[in-house]
């Protein structure tokens, strides 16, 4: 548990297990600068306080997977999660009841090609900062995996926006894909859908949104 602010400036490496932070919105649990390297299958969990956005410092190794447990609070990541390997096979898993909003700057796209997994709460891909039409703020080679969570998408108003996934896997649980408020022409391509026994998917439609398989 990292419950205090730290002042070191070197690299933080997490190779496995769960690391809990509870230092608040302006806290520095991972020091003030330096790369946060995810070298294996590791979990970072926030302990019921608004967290620091450290997304620009994250680097996920090939084959590794970062699980972010948001607890019951909202997170916003404005940066691009780096992938330190050549094949970009890292993955991201969202769990916890809170919402993780990925709100990248204009033309900034996430680089991981491993699974994008939502097991609990909401993963909100928000294109509102984009200055023009955009496609694939998450790499389209990534598979979308839903296991009881919500994938929420918002395109930029008045533009043509899209997000494609290589495929979609439905694990047991009640999952949902839904649009956020906004206008524009928006397409979410899910690829081939594979479902497990006990899985349920609710797709919420809205004006300006199309879902394709």
């Amino acid at each position: 548990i990292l419950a205090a602010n730290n002042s070191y400036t070197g690299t933080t490496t997490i190779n496995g297990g769960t690391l809990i932070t509870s230092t608040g919105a302006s806290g520095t649990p991972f020091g003030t600068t330096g790369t946060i390297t995810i070298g294996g299958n590791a979990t970072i969990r926030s302990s019921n306080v608004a967290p620091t956005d450290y997304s620009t410092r994250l680097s996920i190794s090939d084959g590794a997977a970062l699980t972010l447990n948001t607890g019951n609070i909202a997170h916003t990541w404005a940066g691009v999660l780096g992938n330190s390997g050549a094949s970009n096979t890292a993955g991201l898993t969202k769990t916890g009841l809170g919402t993780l909003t990925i709100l990248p700057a204009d033309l900034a796209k996430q680089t991981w090609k491993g699974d994008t997994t939502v097991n609990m709460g909401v993963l909100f891909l928000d294109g509102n900062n984009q200055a023009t039409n955009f496609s694939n703020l998450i790499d389209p080679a990534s598979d979308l995996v839903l296991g009881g969570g919500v994938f929420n998408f918002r395109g930029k108003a008045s533009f043509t926006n899209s997000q494609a996934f290589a495929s979609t896997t439905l694990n047991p649980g009640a999952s949902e894909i839904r649009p956020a408020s906004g206008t524009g022409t928006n397409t979410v391509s899910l690829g081939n859908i594979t479902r497990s026994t006990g899985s349920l998917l609710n797709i919420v439609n809205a004006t300006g949104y199309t879902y394709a398989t």
Side-chain angles (χ1 to χ4, degrees):
I1 299 176
L2 297 179
N5 295 322
N6 292 300
S7 58
Y8 67 86
T9 58
T11 298
T12 302
T13 302
I14 308 171
N15 287 327
T18 299
L19 193 152
I20 301 172
T21 66
S22 59
T23 55
S26 60
T28 55
F30 301 110
T32 55
T33 60
T35 301
I36 304 168
T37 298
I38 308 300
N41 296 331
T43 298
I44 298 175
R45 179 165 72 87
S46 295
S47 181
N48 297 322
V49 288
T52 300
D53 178 7
Y54 45 79
S55 56
T56 57
R57 297 170 56 194
L58 280 168
S59 178
I60 311 174
S61 301
D62 275 349
L66 170 62
T67 296
L68 180 70
N69 186 334
T70 59
N72 197 29
I73 55 177
H75 293 52
T76 297
W77 280 1
V80 172
L81 277 66
N83 192 159
S84 59
S87 61
N88 290 1
T89 56
L92 176 69
T93 296
K94 160 70 180 72
T95 189
L97 293 175
T99 296
L100 170 60
T101 298
I102 297 178
L103 182 64
D106 184 37
L107 301 180
K109 299 185 178 184
Q110 307 302 316
T111 60
W112 73 83
K113 294 182 180 179
D115 291 347
T116 301
T117 303
V118 192
N119 287 334
M120 190 182 295
V122 179
L123 177 64
F124 179 18
L125 183 62
D126 190 349
N128 200 48
N129 279 348
Q130 305 305 300
T132 186
N133 302 336
F134 72 81
S135 62
N136 301 324
L137 297 180
I138 296 174
D139 195 295
S142 178
D143 297 316
L144 179 63
V145 180
L146 299 174
V150 176
F151 176 70
N152 194 191
F153 176 78
R154 176 164 66 179
K156 179 70 174 180
S158 303
F159 293 116
T160 299
N161 318 289
S162 64
Q163 175 62 51
F165 293 98
S167 67
T168 298
T169 298
L170 303 178
N171 290 330
S175 302
E176 186 171 280
I177 297 174
R178 67 174 182 236
S181 60
T183 56
T185 302
N186 308 284
T187 301
V188 179
S189 298
L190 302 174
N192 293 327
I193 298 177
T194 302
R195 65 179 300 269
S196 300
T197 301
S199 64
L200 174 68
L201 177 63
N202 181 43
I203 297 179
V204 179
N205 203 5
T207 300
Y209 284 82
T210 299
Y211 300 95
T213 60

